[in-house]
Amino acid sequence: MHRAWALKEGLRVVFTLARHGAKTAAKHALHRWLSWARRCRIPAFVDLQRRVAAHREAIHISIDHGLSNGLVESVNTKLRLLTRMAFGYTDPHALIGLGMLALGGLCPPLPGRTNQTLTRPTGR
């Protein structure tokens, strides 16, 4: 159990290093993790090591450029939630309007509001 936890944490270190800009250290940590997971006798991690090794070049590119599909997945999840919220509406423009208001950065002036200097927070 401890070895599985340590392997999981070792893989997290790779992406923590990449996120903090230590690209060379992240690649080296990935190489070390692959060799460690290859030698461990936990079948799930040996299989994971094979899959990670098959995509090693793509992972290196992701480390180099800091690219991730996390933002796309986040927007997709929010759109699915909005779709569930708009389920009762008969017009698809209601869903489009909800999406534009929630994710599109629109901040229309509201009636009865005198202070127009308020802006929408950028953190979502």
Side-chain angles (χ1 to χ4, degrees):
M1 185 67 125
H2 174 72
R3 190 180 323 143
W5 176 83
L7 279 161
K8 183 226 9 145
E9 290 298 316
L11 190 56
R12 287 183 68 195
V13 166
V14 172
F15 295 103
T16 301
L17 288 170
R19 189 171 44 248
H20 294 314
K23 298 173 185 178
T24 306
K27 289 179 183 179
H28 182 67
L30 178 64
H31 177 71
R32 286 191 349 236
W33 185 87
L34 286 170
S35 65
W36 183 21
R38 185 182 312 116
R39 290 188 316 269
C40 87
R41 291 169 292 199
I42 303 172
F45 278 101
V46 172
D47 183 49
L48 178 62
Q49 177 273 329
R50 285 188 190 118
R51 286 186 272 148
V52 169
H55 298 284
R56 182 187 294 195
E57 284 304 313
I59 294 171
H60 281 200
I61 291 169
S62 175
I63 290 171
D64 286 338
H65 299 291
L67 299 176
S68 170
N69 69 339
L71 181 61
V72 173
E73 291 295 330
S74 171
V75 170
N76 188 28
T77 301
K78 291 174 186 173
L79 284 174
R80 286 177 188 231
L81 176 65
L82 291 173
T83 303
R84 294 297 300 156
M85 290 171 57
F87 183 70
Y89 295 114
T90 57
D91 188 15
H93 290 92
L95 174 60
I96 294 169
L98 281 172
M100 292 299 285
L101 284 171
L103 303 171
L106 293 178
C107 190
L110 299 174
R113 302 284 172 103
T114 57
N115 187 358
Q116 299 296 325
T117 60
L118 293 176
T119 59
R120 181 181 182 163
T122 57
R124 295 182 183 157

